[in-house]
Amino acid sequence: MAEEAWGKWGSDDERGALNQIGVEEVKRALGLVRNAKVMSLAQPLSPQTPVPGHRAPMQHFMGRDGGDYAAGGKRPGGFQFAEDTVIMAMHFGTHIDALCHAWHDDRLYNGFSSNGTRSTTGAARCGIEKMGPIVARGVLLNVMDDSGKALTKGVPVTRARLEAAAAGAGVTVERGDVVLIRTGWIETMLTDPHYYDGEPGIDIGAARWLADAGVAVIGCDNFAVEAIPFPSGEVFPVHQLVIRGYGIALLEGLVLAPLAAAGATEFLFVAAPLPFVGGTGSPLVPVAVL
Amino acid sequence: MAEEAWGKWGSDDERGALNQIGVEEVKRALGLVRNAKVMSLAQPLSPQTPVPGHRAPMQHFMGRDGGDYAAGGKRPGGFQFAEDTVIMAMHFGTHIDALCHAWHDDRLYNGFSSNGTRSTTGAARCGIEKMGPIVARGVLLNVMDDSGKALTKGVPVTRARLEAAAAGAGVTVERGDVVLIRTGWIETMLTDPHYYDGEPGIDIGAARWLADAGVAVIGCDNFAVEAIPFPSGEVFPVHQLVIRGYGIALLEGLVLAPLAAAGATEFLFVAAPLPFVGGTGSPLVPVAVL
Amino acid sequence: MAEEAWGKWGSDDERGALNQIGVEEVKRALGLVRNAKVMSLAQPLSPQTPVPGHRAPMQHFMGRDGGDYAAGGKRPGGFQFAEDTVIMAMHFGTHIDALCHAWHDDRLYNGFSSNGTRSTTGAARCGIEKMGPIVARGVLLNVMDDSGKALTKGVPVTRARLEAAAAGAGVTVERGDVVLIRTGWIETMLTDPHYYDGEPGIDIGAARWLADAGVAVIGCDNFAVEAIPFPSGEVFPVHQLVIRGYGIALLEGLVLAPLAAAGATEFLFVAAPLPFVGGTGSPLVPVAVL
Amino acid sequence: MAEEAWGKWGSDDERGALNQIGVEEVKRALGLVRNAKVMSLAQPLSPQTPVPGHRAPMQHFMGRDGGDYAAGGKRPGGFQFAEDTVIMAMHFGTHIDALCHAWHDDRLYNGFSSNGTRSTTGAARCGIEKMGPIVARGVLLNVMDDSGKALTKGVPVTRARLEAAAAGAGVTVERGDVVLIRTGWIETMLTDPHYYDGEPGIDIGAARWLADAGVAVIGCDNFAVEAIPFPSGEVFPVHQLVIRGYGIALLEGLVLAPLAAAGATEFLFVAAPLPFVGGTGSPLVPVAVL
């Protein structure tokens, strides 16, 4: 159980379901572009960006700025410049989880020992630097309620709900897809101080249905893709199944309202996590081209 | 002088030459894909990644890792996870300079006051969050010497050299292009302790020629695009001209050898800086699709 | 006005009222020790330590820990070790303000231009590294209300209240003293989510009385020494007067309950800020020896 | 073997040899003061402070500075201020090692499991916050060579050398002392790029002699107290013996030249590590009062 895709792409594989995306999938994705409209699906990043209680907010420091020149800083050859440094958690803002991010029984996806993930080295296996850029078909599944309102905290998005959303959009979820699920939850982030206390999201049945369809990535406009609170006695069951069992990366914190407003259902999707060696995830900017 | 593109896209514009990329340019770029080969042009990022002397190395800290479980950490519901935090300069690894990065006479691109760039706020104008994703035609200009060796420190890449490279590749630099210049310099980074002491790169004539051709972004496989040491009495003249005058972002630290090895000359280029509010640049993963 | 001590210790002086402590004051302080009881007046420091809204919490990262060995880390020669890194604001926990911390009219204490305090260099003048260790007589003034309850938010501690507290303790505030004022406010820190919204503290009259008495440092068991909300139309008037005008450093976030419980009124006081070059303050551990 | 002081101060003890300092030791130390001359034994701390290869340099960022006001920053009520944030390793500059810093066989001082030291919590046992302020007799042992030159890399400071130094100074090492050993090594730090490649320092015999004498802390003007390179086949043998076996904290990176120049041999010593919860050490400012 829960080792569904282990060995599927070889015993050394660290990319998991990204292997579902082959040349034909990329070509098909490129062929979807109609208006050449380019959209970012990412949140802006700042110290004001909300974070869950166990993570620290981002910090942004200027190492040199316009003020330093206003105060008399030298300008050799007239040149002036500004630079800055950021401190941020990897699971911050719009980000993707590496396959080393979640597991159980001391085994990561594909059976790698979690003992290889250490303070001194980061993740020896399934780090974010193994992922590479993602170019695929993006599919938007809108599961907001019938009146167009955001789902509320804890509401599970079931397989039936995903199927209905796909049918409504006239799309079929296929191998290599990046499936983006719109619950409306992230629109509450900046106003709801309890944003991180729970969320609507997919349940285990929906997760398994997507995984068995061969999707490459599952994304959502919430902070952890799956419904929270969890079913009784379970903790992040979708993370455990999808990341560890199927080798499918989760894409969290997506901004999907503009994509929905543009009427997008399938589109070219491009995203590239920063290749932190041994990192467990990365903020990134997913791009849709309609 | 040196205000070449100010006002060209309106007095409030903060995106500069990215405005050169319109719907037609995106469509043309998408049409270049032949084999659907997806390539990253980015360096891996780690504490070992070299940095220039005035910047601190990246730091990567695990907030939770496999070792913590090996030492007895609790696993509620069986769940285990790892997470991490990074401290890094924005002009680190493969990165893009925002238009607020370099200027002179207290005026940024389009005339914005550099007094708006402060410790407390970052850049009020021309921050990296204004840039948005870049989808464009990528053009590779190989200016390594005739025997295929890297250019050496300080060697200026002139307009003539760029023209010859374009002719050799059978391409013409056009409006909206992302031009990537291969000097071979970055291949010395991991072995040459003096990597950051200087570099081959474009001179002011080459910069102006590219800018006047309407390119959207200029990239290079070195750390600052332009030749260092600078011409006598000047300091970062290309940065001043290109970023401030023309509103053209510079893309630095590119890994271009694999792209060259694949024989690429023109291709689909996609890159998306992280939208740090008020940031002066961003590490990113430029993607080429051949 | 408000330049009370400028020039008093020379035009180059950056230590201000610490100059009030001479050999005789140190000897007197040493002579106060009776029981050789050593007490820390500092808060423990952790990511859970509350911070005001505009500052980030401390972060504490293990670079190597016991878990890494449990997971299989190598032990050359049997040796194991742990190490860590901290990110923290200088005005965090129990800390002292350097004389460059607060000012007005672009002039610091002793007339130095605030233009010397820049992102690139920190404070060229009156940085925390100029302060040196403090060995002095400590005096505890308990201004909690008659029933022993903490003062409430905004309550001003006046000169009369300080005089009464001194009289009650049988001490006279003298030149070179480190005066520590106990309001009881810090005891609410861990339970009151509005701790940083305001505080009881000294008013401008009390501040001037202490300053004119020649005290070397003023400390308090709150976060900013002075009463907040401020008098109408004023912002940190005590900081402006005391730090800039008199060159007196403020010591904030003190834990004074144990000192009071021990019945201390005058004692040997030792504290030494970390000498960050150009720093605006420093967490530190003030020590009382009774 | 190597569990010399385990249980000596109870099975729950986390302060080790600091227990050697009792009321009488503090009183004796206070009685040593003659001239009331106060000296810092600490290095200044800045991004330029050298660090060993496996640690990152300190970073110092201004969150608000004079430049921001020069650029037009608001001054409510006229108030201006500057603040800053530091990123630093705990074993940086002049610092003290907590008893959780070094061990072997998965057991810390007093038998605590090293599994309690994790990324998520820091050290559950023997963290730096358990140490408390140190007020004791300081003893300076000058072991520089006869001509007053610094010892060279790898030179072991033996028991005989310490005994000779003590005899020369007319002091006897006693229970509760903080022994500071001057090799002259730190004076090479700013000029020798190989400073961290090795050092003169005490050998195991000297360490055991000091420990058996009952010293509370051993300090040195080098970066790791003990001689490096280590004896063949051993790695930090003194750390293992002294910290783990005897529960004696090591004080590293001391600046002792001014103390020696002042002719100090025994003096009042005061130091207080920052109480980072679960921290493995702390920068601090040791103070000598002569």
Side-chain angles (χ1 to χ4, degrees):
Chain A
M1 67 91 197
E3 302 178 359
E4 288 75 358
W6 292 21
K8 184 167 182 174
W9 298 285
S11 62
D12 264 349
D13 178 63
E14 303 179 55
R15 296 183 68 243
L18 292 177
N19 289 294
Q20 301 280 23
I21 309 169
V23 165
E24 293 314 309
E25 285 73 21
V26 175
K27 286 185 176 172
R28 184 183 54 158
L30 290 161
L32 294 170
V33 176
R34 294 291 170 267
N35 306 317
K37 181 175 178 62
V38 176
M39 302 183 72
S40 162
L41 310 182
Q43 307 169 39
L45 302 175
S46 85
Q48 280 71 49
T49 302
V51 291
H54 72 294
R55 295 205 179 109
M58 173 187 141
Q59 295 191 58
H60 181 209
F61 292 112
M62 302 302 292
R64 179 183 290 263
D65 57 56
D68 299 316
Y69 294 105
K74 290 190 181 161
R75 313 158 182 225
F79 182 64
Q80 299 175 268
F81 72 106
E83 63 181 342
D84 41 2
T85 291
V86 158
I87 305 168
M88 66 175 171
M90 295 292 84
H91 300 267
F92 173 70
T94 305
H95 64 274
I96 195 163
D97 294 348
L99 297 185
C100 64
H101 174 51
W103 71 95
H104 62 255
D105 287 337
D106 295 329
R107 294 281 151 190
L108 310 181
Y109 161 73
N110 219 7
F112 298 116
S113 169
S114 61
N115 281 345
T117 304
R118 300 183 194 158
S119 312
T120 46
T121 56
R125 290 291 193 165
C126 299
I128 192 72
E129 83 280 16
K130 306 291 172 58
M131 201 171 272
I134 304 164
V135 179
R137 182 174 80 137
V139 171
L140 179 66
L141 298 182
N142 192 331
V143 298
M144 292 173 74
D145 78 11
D146 294 342
S147 59
K149 286 193 182 151
L151 298 186
T152 53
K153 200 169 293 185
V155 170
V157 174
T158 62
R159 169 181 174 171
R161 197 154 198 157
L162 291 182
E163 288 181 314
V171 293
T172 307
V173 172
E174 295 179 11
R175 194 168 74 85
D177 283 351
V178 172
V179 175
L180 308 182
I181 299 162
R182 182 171 188 230
T183 66
W185 187 245
I186 203 172
E187 272 85 64
T188 70
M189 184 177 73
L190 295 177
T191 54
D192 181 355
H194 299 289
Y195 174 77
Y196 280 109
D197 292 353
E199 61 179 11
I202 62 174
D203 70 7
I204 199 82
R208 192 174 288 277
W209 177 73
L210 289 168
D212 287 336
V215 302
V217 175
I218 303 172
C220 196
D221 64 342
N222 59 10
F223 59 88
V225 175
E226 64 187 295
I228 299 179
F230 310 118
S232 178
E234 302 187 51
V235 175
F236 287 108
V238 170
H239 273 66
Q240 296 192 44
L241 176 71
V242 165
I243 294 179
R244 179 188 188 264
Y246 284 93
I248 298 173
L250 298 178
L251 189 48
E252 298 164 340
L254 289 167
V255 176
L256 297 176
L259 194 58
T265 54
E266 55 176 351
F267 43 86
L268 171 61
F269 175 93
V270 182
L274 291 175
F276 297 112
V277 177
T280 75
S282 174
L284 82 182
V285 177
V287 178
V289 189
L290 313 190
Chain B
M1 68 95 198
E3 302 178 1
E4 288 75 358
W6 292 21
K8 183 168 184 173
W9 297 285
S11 61
D12 263 348
D13 179 64
E14 302 180 54
R15 297 182 68 244
L18 292 177
N19 289 294
Q20 301 280 22
I21 309 170
V23 166
E24 292 315 309
E25 284 73 23
V26 175
K27 287 184 176 171
R28 183 183 56 157
L30 290 161
L32 294 171
V33 176
R34 294 290 170 267
N35 307 317
K37 183 175 177 60
V38 175
M39 304 184 71
S40 162
L41 311 181
Q43 308 169 39
L45 302 176
S46 86
Q48 281 70 50
T49 303
V51 292
H54 72 295
R55 294 206 179 108
M58 173 187 140
Q59 295 191 61
H60 181 208
F61 292 111
M62 301 303 290
R64 180 183 291 261
D65 57 56
D68 300 316
Y69 294 104
K74 291 192 179 157
R75 309 155 185 232
F79 182 65
Q80 299 175 268
F81 71 105
E83 62 181 342
D84 43 358
T85 293
V86 158
I87 305 167
M88 65 176 172
M90 295 294 85
H91 300 267
F92 173 70
T94 305
H95 65 274
I96 195 164
D97 294 348
L99 298 185
C100 63
H101 175 50
W103 71 94
H104 61 254
D105 287 337
D106 295 328
R107 294 281 152 189
L108 311 181
Y109 161 74
N110 218 8
F112 299 116
S113 169
S114 60
N115 280 345
T117 304
R118 300 181 194 161
S119 311
T120 47
T121 54
R125 291 292 193 164
C126 298
I128 193 71
E129 84 279 17
K130 307 292 173 57
M131 201 173 271
I134 305 165
V135 179
R137 181 173 82 137
V139 171
L140 179 65
L141 298 183
N142 191 330
V143 297
M144 292 172 75
D145 78 11
D146 294 341
S147 60
K149 287 195 181 148
L151 299 187
T152 52
K153 198 168 294 183
V155 170
V157 174
T158 60
R159 169 181 173 170
R161 197 153 197 157
L162 291 182
E163 288 181 315
V171 294
T172 306
V173 173
E174 294 179 11
R175 194 170 73 86
D177 284 351
V178 172
V179 174
L180 308 181
I181 298 161
R182 183 173 187 229
T183 66
W185 187 245
I186 202 171
E187 273 84 65
T188 70
M189 184 177 71
L190 295 177
T191 53
D192 180 354
H194 300 290
Y195 174 77
Y196 280 110
D197 292 354
E199 61 179 13
I202 62 174
D203 69 7
I204 199 81
R208 192 175 286 278
W209 177 72
L210 289 168
D212 287 336
V215 302
V217 176
I218 302 172
C220 196
D221 64 344
N222 59 10
F223 60 88
V225 175
E226 65 188 294
I228 300 178
F230 310 119
S232 178
E234 302 188 50
V235 176
F236 287 109
V238 170
H239 273 65
Q240 296 193 44
L241 175 72
V242 166
I243 294 179
R244 179 187 188 265
Y246 283 93
I248 298 173
L250 298 178
L251 189 47
E252 298 164 341
L254 289 167
V255 176
L256 297 176
L259 194 59
T265 54
E266 55 175 351
F267 43 87
L268 171 61
F269 175 94
V270 183
L274 290 174
F276 297 111
V277 177
T280 74
S282 174
L284 82 180
V285 177
V287 177
V289 189
L290 314 188
Chain C
M1 69 95 201
E3 302 178 359
E4 288 75 358
W6 293 21
K8 183 167 183 174
W9 297 285
S11 62
D12 263 348
D13 179 64
E14 302 179 54
R15 298 182 68 245
L18 292 177
N19 288 294
Q20 302 279 23
I21 310 170
V23 166
E24 292 314 310
E25 285 73 22
V26 174
K27 286 185 177 171
R28 181 183 56 156
L30 290 161
L32 295 171
V33 177
R34 295 290 170 266
N35 307 316
K37 182 174 178 60
V38 175
M39 304 184 72
S40 162
L41 310 181
Q43 309 169 39
L45 302 176
S46 86
Q48 280 70 49
T49 303
V51 291
H54 73 293
R55 294 203 181 110
M58 173 188 141
Q59 295 191 60
H60 181 210
F61 293 112
M62 302 301 292
R64 180 183 291 261
D65 57 56
D68 300 316
Y69 294 105
K74 291 191 180 159
R75 309 157 185 230
F79 182 64
Q80 300 175 268
F81 71 106
E83 62 181 341
D84 42 0
T85 292
V86 158
I87 305 168
M88 65 176 172
M90 295 294 84
H91 300 267
F92 173 69
T94 304
H95 65 273
I96 194 164
D97 295 348
L99 297 186
C100 63
H101 175 50
W103 72 94
H104 61 254
D105 287 338
D106 296 328
R107 294 281 152 189
L108 311 181
Y109 161 73
N110 218 8
F112 298 116
S113 170
S114 61
N115 281 346
T117 303
R118 299 181 194 162
S119 311
T120 47
T121 55
R125 289 292 192 164
C126 299
I128 192 72
E129 83 279 16
K130 306 292 174 56
M131 201 172 272
I134 304 165
V135 178
R137 181 173 82 139
V139 171
L140 179 66
L141 299 182
N142 191 331
V143 297
M144 292 173 73
D145 77 12
D146 294 342
S147 60
K149 288 196 181 147
L151 298 187
T152 52
K153 198 168 294 182
V155 169
V157 174
T158 61
R159 168 181 174 170
R161 197 155 197 154
L162 292 182
E163 288 180 315
V171 292
T172 306
V173 173
E174 295 180 9
R175 195 168 73 86
D177 283 351
V178 172
V179 175
L180 309 181
I181 299 162
R182 182 170 187 232
T183 66
W185 187 244
I186 202 171
E187 273 83 64
T188 70
M189 184 177 71
L190 295 178
T191 54
D192 180 354
H194 299 289
Y195 174 77
Y196 281 111
D197 292 354
E199 61 179 13
I202 62 173
D203 69 7
I204 199 81
R208 192 174 288 276
W209 178 73
L210 289 168
D212 287 336
V215 302
V217 176
I218 303 172
C220 196
D221 63 344
N222 59 9
F223 59 88
V225 176
E226 65 187 294
I228 300 178
F230 310 119
S232 178
E234 302 187 50
V235 176
F236 286 109
V238 170
H239 273 64
Q240 296 193 45
L241 176 72
V242 166
I243 295 179
R244 179 188 188 264
Y246 284 92
I248 298 173
L250 299 178
L251 189 47
E252 298 163 340
L254 289 167
V255 176
L256 298 176
L259 194 59
T265 53
E266 56 175 350
F267 42 87
L268 172 61
F269 175 94
V270 183
L274 291 174
F276 297 112
V277 177
T280 73
S282 174
L284 81 180
V285 177
V287 177
V289 189
L290 313 188
Chain D
M1 68 96 198
E3 303 178 359
E4 288 74 357
W6 292 22
K8 184 167 182 173
W9 297 285
S11 62
D12 263 348
D13 179 63
E14 303 179 55
R15 297 182 68 243
L18 292 178
N19 289 294
Q20 302 279 23
I21 309 170
V23 165
E24 292 314 309
E25 284 73 22
V26 175
K27 286 184 177 171
R28 183 183 54 160
L30 291 160
L32 295 171
V33 176
R34 293 289 170 269
N35 306 316
K37 182 174 177 61
V38 176
M39 302 184 73
S40 162
L41 310 182
Q43 308 170 38
L45 302 175
S46 86
Q48 280 71 50
T49 302
V51 292
H54 72 294
R55 295 206 179 110
M58 173 187 141
Q59 295 190 57
H60 181 210
F61 292 112
M62 302 302 290
R64 180 183 290 262
D65 57 55
D68 300 316
Y69 294 105
K74 290 190 180 161
R75 312 158 183 226
F79 182 64
Q80 299 176 268
F81 71 106
E83 62 181 342
D84 42 1
T85 292
V86 158
I87 305 168
M88 65 176 172
M90 294 294 85
H91 300 267
F92 173 70
T94 304
H95 65 274
I96 194 164
D97 294 348
L99 297 185
C100 64
H101 174 50
W103 71 95
H104 61 255
D105 287 337
D106 295 329
R107 294 282 151 189
L108 310 181
Y109 161 73
N110 219 7
F112 299 116
S113 169
S114 61
N115 281 345
T117 304
R118 300 183 194 158
S119 311
T120 47
T121 55
R125 290 291 193 166
C126 299
I128 193 71
E129 83 280 17
K130 307 290 173 57
M131 200 171 272
I134 304 164
V135 178
R137 183 174 79 138
V139 171
L140 179 66
L141 298 183
N142 191 331
V143 297
M144 293 174 72
D145 78 11
D146 294 342
S147 59
K149 286 192 182 152
L151 298 187
T152 53
K153 200 169 293 185
V155 170
V157 174
T158 61
R159 169 182 172 168
R161 197 154 198 155
L162 291 181
E163 288 181 315
V171 293
T172 307
V173 173
E174 295 179 12
R175 194 169 74 85
D177 282 351
V178 172
V179 175
L180 308 182
I181 298 162
R182 181 169 189 232
T183 66
W185 187 244
I186 202 171
E187 272 83 65
T188 70
M189 184 177 72
L190 295 177
T191 54
D192 180 355
H194 299 289
Y195 174 76
Y196 280 109
D197 291 354
E199 61 180 12
I202 61 174
D203 69 7
I204 199 81
R208 193 174 288 277
W209 178 73
L210 289 168
D212 287 336
V215 303
V217 176
I218 302 172
C220 196
D221 64 342
N222 59 9
F223 59 88
V225 174
E226 63 187 296
I228 300 179
F230 311 118
S232 178
E234 302 187 52
V235 175
F236 287 108
V238 171
H239 273 65
Q240 296 192 46
L241 175 71
V242 166
I243 293 179
R244 180 188 188 264
Y246 284 93
I248 298 173
L250 299 178
L251 190 47
E252 299 163 340
L254 288 168
V255 176
L256 298 176
L259 194 58
T265 55
E266 56 175 349
F267 42 87
L268 171 62
F269 174 93
V270 183
L274 291 174
F276 296 112
V277 177
T280 75
S282 173
L284 82 182
V285 177
V287 177
V289 188
L290 314 188

